[in-house]
Amino acid sequence: MKLTKAQYDEIAQFLGHVQPTRQSLRKLKEKFPSQSQSTLLSIFSQEYQKQIKRTHAKHHTAEAVETYYQRYLNGVMKNAAAPVLLELANEVDFAPSLMARIVLERYLQEKEQAIPSKTLINSMLRDPSQIPDGVLANQVYQCTVNDCCYGPLVDCIKHAIGHEHEVLLREMLLEKNLSFIAVEGHIIHWIESKASFGDESSHQAYLQDQFWSYWNRFGPGLVIYWYGFIEELDCHRERGILLKDCFPTDIVTLRHSMAQH
């Protein structure tokens, strides 16, 4: 699904005034019923990630970390079964999984009297049963399952969706026995699959980190944003990079062209 820049900005502006919860996602669907659910979900996730990156530093100051840890300890002392970490994350407008990481790291630092490795923290976030403190393990688990944009559960889902679309694309190409094709008058030597919505910031990053490198090595190519993109970004066709939101149906192969002649 392609959106104009104005349509995208309207959605992004709406998301700037709601919290990143499943309830907000339902409001988003009600507000923009003509847009596909997968497109809205992708935009929802990407806009929230931008917000988290903008505010990330303030949540990681020594003062903030200590405040969060003490509030966690006080909260579970009053009621260990209450979703203390999850409610704290929502209160300060921070991703629950990232709040869980901050508090877990602080806990391990105090317990081990050393800075814990990222490998250990990631392992405990993926499997909270490894956390020695049962109350904290439960709190971390609550944050993980209730975070719709960050955390090991979301990472696993995103990886699976990305892999699924790559397999789908590979099967389409093998089925048609294609090595290179022509799409809308442009020769295509490579196809990149993106199981996300192509907004301005992500597309510019992909251009810089991937697409122009592919273009330099292999020539012109096609990027498929399976969940849509801002149509104004499809502005490099003459230079050799096309954008589509699905596998093209109007492809022309060399054999087909020769047969016509």
Side-chain angles (χ1 to χ4, degrees):
M1 175 171 281
K2 289 185 279 190
L3 303 182
T4 65
K5 181 70 164 58
Q7 287 175 314
Y8 173 81
D9 287 344
E10 187 182 0
I11 294 171
Q13 188 176 13
F14 175 82
L15 288 172
H17 300 291
V18 298
Q19 280 199 314
T21 62
R22 291 182 177 86
Q23 290 77 11
S24 296
L25 185 55
R26 282 195 286 271
K27 291 178 185 174
L28 183 65
K29 293 172 192 170
E30 292 168 4
K31 175 74 174 174
F32 303 97
S34 62
Q35 310 296 353
S36 81
Q37 181 172 326
S38 56
T39 295
L40 291 175
L41 179 57
S42 185
I43 295 173
F44 176 86
S45 177
Q46 288 169 207
E47 285 300 309
Y48 182 53
Q49 287 171 20
K50 289 178 198 172
Q51 178 190 328
I52 291 297
K53 286 175 184 174
R54 286 194 297 266
T55 61
H56 190 268
K58 77 174 186 179
H59 295 291
H60 284 78
T61 64
E63 295 81 6
V65 169
E66 198 57 36
T67 297
Y68 296 155
Y69 188 57
Q70 293 305 323
R71 288 193 60 181
Y72 156 73
L73 292 176
N74 292 335
V76 294
M77 195 180 297
K78 293 175 184 173
N79 184 356
V84 177
L85 272 187
L86 181 60
E87 289 177 353
L88 176 58
N90 290 334
E91 180 189 325
V92 300
D93 205 12
F94 197 48
S97 291
L98 300 183
M99 177 62 76
R101 176 183 284 274
I102 287 175
V103 170
L104 174 60
E105 186 172 353
R106 176 65 181 80
Y107 161 80
L108 290 172
Q109 194 172 337
E110 185 175 273
K111 186 174 186 297
E112 307 295 335
Q113 294 298 304
I115 297 174
S117 70
K118 286 187 177 180
T119 303
L120 177 63
I121 292 171
N122 289 337
S123 180
M124 288 182 170
L125 288 171
R126 282 194 299 270
D127 179 11
S129 68
Q130 297 177 24
I131 299 172
D133 185 299
V135 172
L136 180 56
N138 184 50
Q139 293 284 328
V140 169
Y141 174 75
Q142 288 175 346
C143 286
T144 299
V145 298
N146 284 286
D147 195 326
C148 50
C149 294
Y150 276 95
L153 186 60
V154 172
D155 289 343
C156 185
I157 293 169
K158 284 182 178 178
H159 178 77
I161 292 173
H163 182 67
E164 179 187 2
H165 283 84
E166 287 176 1
V167 170
L168 178 66
L169 177 58
R170 194 177 301 120
E171 288 176 350
M172 289 174 174
L173 292 170
L174 288 172
E175 180 189 334
K176 297 179 184 298
N177 193 26
L178 299 174
S179 54
F180 65 89
I181 61 179
V183 177
E184 297 169 12
H186 299 268
I187 298 294
I188 300 299
H189 290 278
W190 54 268
I191 302 177
E192 175 67 17
S193 171
K194 293 295 181 190
S196 60
F197 182 85
D199 64 12
E200 196 165 5
S201 59
S202 62
H203 182 64
Q204 291 303 326
Y206 287 140
L207 278 171
Q208 183 176 337
D209 299 339
Q210 289 181 278
F211 304 157
W212 289 126
S213 297
Y214 296 166
W215 181 86
N216 283 328
R217 288 160 63 191
F218 308 117
L222 167 68
V223 179
I224 301 178
Y225 283 111
W226 294 100
Y227 297 146
F229 59 90
I230 297 173
E231 60 184 26
E232 286 89 340
L233 297 177
D234 191 15
C235 58
H236 297 294
R237 290 186 161 224
E238 296 312 310
R239 292 184 64 187
I241 296 180
L242 279 70
L243 303 186
K244 299 282 283 184
D245 59 356
C246 62
F247 187 77
T249 54
D250 53 345
I251 58 176
V252 177
T253 64
L254 184 61
R255 292 191 304 276
H256 179 67
S257 299
M258 291 176 68
Q260 285 184 324
H261 292 296

